mmCIF file with all atom_site columns, all heavy atoms in Angstrom:
data_model
loop_
_atom_site.group_PDB
_atom_site.id
_atom_site.type_symbol
_atom_site.label_atom_id
_atom_site.label_alt_id
_atom_site.label_comp_id
_atom_site.label_asym_id
_atom_site.label_entity_id
_atom_site.label_seq_id
_atom_site.pdbx_PDB_ins_code
_atom_site.Cartn_x
_atom_site.Cartn_y
_atom_site.Cartn_z
_atom_site.occupancy
_atom_site.B_iso_or_equiv
_atom_site.pdbx_formal_charge
_atom_site.auth_seq_id
_atom_site.auth_comp_id
_atom_site.auth_asym_id
_atom_site.auth_atom_id
_atom_site.pdbx_PDB_model_num
ATOM 1  N N   . PRO B 1 68 ? 120.696 46.288 56.401 1.00 93.00 ? 328 PRO B N   1
ATOM 2  C CA  . PRO B 1 68 ? 119.298 46.919 56.360 1.00 93.00 ? 328 PRO B CA  1
ATOM 3  C C   . PRO B 1 68 ? 119.481 48.516 56.510 1.00 93.00 ? 328 PRO B C   1
ATOM 4  O O   . PRO B 1 68 ? 118.684 49.260 55.872 1.00 93.00 ? 328 PRO B O   1
ATOM 5  C CB  . PRO B 1 68 ? 118.557 46.401 57.554 1.00 93.00 ? 328 PRO B CB  1
ATOM 6  C CG  . PRO B 1 68 ? 119.563 45.528 58.402 1.00 93.00 ? 328 PRO B CG  1
ATOM 7  C CD  . PRO B 1 68 ? 120.686 45.274 57.512 1.00 93.00 ? 328 PRO B CD  1
ATOM 8  N N   . LEU B 1 69 ? 120.483 48.951 57.289 1.00 93.00 ? 329 LEU B N   1
ATOM 9  C CA  . LEU B 1 69 ? 120.659 50.291 57.578 1.00 93.00 ? 329 LEU B CA  1
ATOM 10 C C   . LEU B 1 69 ? 121.151 51.098 56.312 1.00 93.00 ? 329 LEU B C   1
ATOM 11 O O   . LEU B 1 69 ? 120.735 52.127 55.884 1.00 93.00 ? 329 LEU B O   1
ATOM 12 C CB  . LEU B 1 69 ? 121.471 50.648 58.770 1.00 93.00 ? 329 LEU B CB  1
ATOM 13 C CG  . LEU B 1 69 ? 121.134 49.863 59.974 1.00 93.00 ? 329 LEU B CG  1
ATOM 14 C CD1 . LEU B 1 69 ? 122.162 49.982 61.151 1.00 93.00 ? 329 LEU B CD1 1
ATOM 15 C CD2 . LEU B 1 69 ? 119.757 50.030 60.463 1.00 93.00 ? 329 LEU B CD2 1
ATOM 16 N N   . PHE B 1 70 ? 122.222 50.299 55.716 1.00 93.00 ? 330 PHE B N   1
ATOM 17 C CA  . PHE B 1 70 ? 122.845 50.951 54.489 1.00 93.00 ? 330 PHE B CA  1
ATOM 18 C C   . PHE B 1 70 ? 121.816 50.982 53.391 1.00 93.00 ? 330 PHE B C   1
ATOM 19 O O   . PHE B 1 70 ? 121.659 51.993 52.662 1.00 93.00 ? 330 PHE B O   1
ATOM 20 C CB  . PHE B 1 70 ? 124.097 49.988 54.162 1.00 93.00 ? 330 PHE B CB  1
ATOM 21 C CG  . PHE B 1 70 ? 124.796 50.599 53.006 1.00 93.00 ? 330 PHE B CG  1
ATOM 22 C CD1 . PHE B 1 70 ? 125.794 51.579 53.249 1.00 93.00 ? 330 PHE B CD1 1
ATOM 23 C CD2 . PHE B 1 70 ? 124.578 50.132 51.663 1.00 93.00 ? 330 PHE B CD2 1
ATOM 24 C CE1 . PHE B 1 70 ? 126.558 52.092 52.214 1.00 93.00 ? 330 PHE B CE1 1
ATOM 25 C CE2 . PHE B 1 70 ? 125.307 50.645 50.628 1.00 93.00 ? 330 PHE B CE2 1
ATOM 26 C CZ  . PHE B 1 70 ? 126.296 51.693 50.887 1.00 93.00 ? 330 PHE B CZ  1
ATOM 27 N N   . LEU B 1 71 ? 121.058 49.897 53.153 1.00 93.00 ? 331 LEU B N   1
ATOM 28 C CA  . LEU B 1 71 ? 120.044 49.897 52.105 1.00 93.00 ? 331 LEU B CA  1
ATOM 29 C C   . LEU B 1 71 ? 118.957 50.933 52.345 1.00 93.00 ? 331 LEU B C   1
ATOM 30 O O   . LEU B 1 71 ? 118.398 51.510 51.526 1.00 93.00 ? 331 LEU B O   1
ATOM 31 C CB  . LEU B 1 71 ? 119.543 48.400 51.959 1.00 93.00 ? 331 LEU B CB  1
ATOM 32 C CG  . LEU B 1 71 ? 120.479 47.527 51.356 1.00 93.00 ? 331 LEU B CG  1
ATOM 33 C CD1 . LEU B 1 71 ? 119.940 46.045 51.346 1.00 93.00 ? 331 LEU B CD1 1
ATOM 34 C CD2 . LEU B 1 71 ? 120.964 47.881 50.038 1.00 93.00 ? 331 LEU B CD2 1
ATOM 35 N N   . GLY B 1 72 ? 118.560 51.089 53.743 1.00 93.00 ? 332 GLY B N   1
ATOM 36 C CA  . GLY B 1 72 ? 117.602 51.975 54.145 1.00 93.00 ? 332 GLY B CA  1
ATOM 37 C C   . GLY B 1 72 ? 118.055 53.409 53.699 1.00 93.00 ? 332 GLY B C   1
ATOM 38 O O   . GLY B 1 72 ? 117.270 54.159 53.081 1.00 93.00 ? 332 GLY B O   1
ATOM 39 N N   . SER B 1 73 ? 119.327 53.722 53.946 1.00 93.00 ? 333 SER B N   1
ATOM 40 C CA  . SER B 1 73 ? 119.913 55.170 53.526 1.00 93.00 ? 333 SER B CA  1
ATOM 41 C C   . SER B 1 73 ? 119.843 55.196 52.022 1.00 93.00 ? 333 SER B C   1
ATOM 42 O O   . SER B 1 73 ? 119.529 56.215 51.474 1.00 93.00 ? 333 SER B O   1
ATOM 43 C CB  . SER B 1 73 ? 121.370 55.216 54.046 1.00 93.00 ? 333 SER B CB  1
ATOM 44 O OG  . SER B 1 73 ? 121.346 55.543 55.431 1.00 93.00 ? 333 SER B OG  1
ATOM 45 N N   . LEU B 1 74 ? 120.233 54.110 51.336 1.00 92.00 ? 334 LEU B N   1
ATOM 46 C CA  . LEU B 1 74 ? 120.286 54.183 49.911 1.00 92.00 ? 334 LEU B CA  1
ATOM 47 C C   . LEU B 1 74 ? 118.904 54.489 49.333 1.00 92.00 ? 334 LEU B C   1
ATOM 48 O O   . LEU B 1 74 ? 118.856 55.296 48.408 1.00 92.00 ? 334 LEU B O   1
ATOM 49 C CB  . LEU B 1 74 ? 120.834 52.720 49.454 1.00 92.00 ? 334 LEU B CB  1
ATOM 50 C CG  . LEU B 1 74 ? 121.318 52.716 47.983 1.00 92.00 ? 334 LEU B CG  1
ATOM 51 C CD1 . LEU B 1 74 ? 122.580 53.568 47.775 1.00 92.00 ? 334 LEU B CD1 1
ATOM 52 C CD2 . LEU B 1 74 ? 121.588 51.316 47.555 1.00 92.00 ? 334 LEU B CD2 1
#
Side-chain angles (χ1 to χ4, degrees):
Chain B
L329 314 177
F330 186 80
L331 293 175
S333 280
L334 192 69

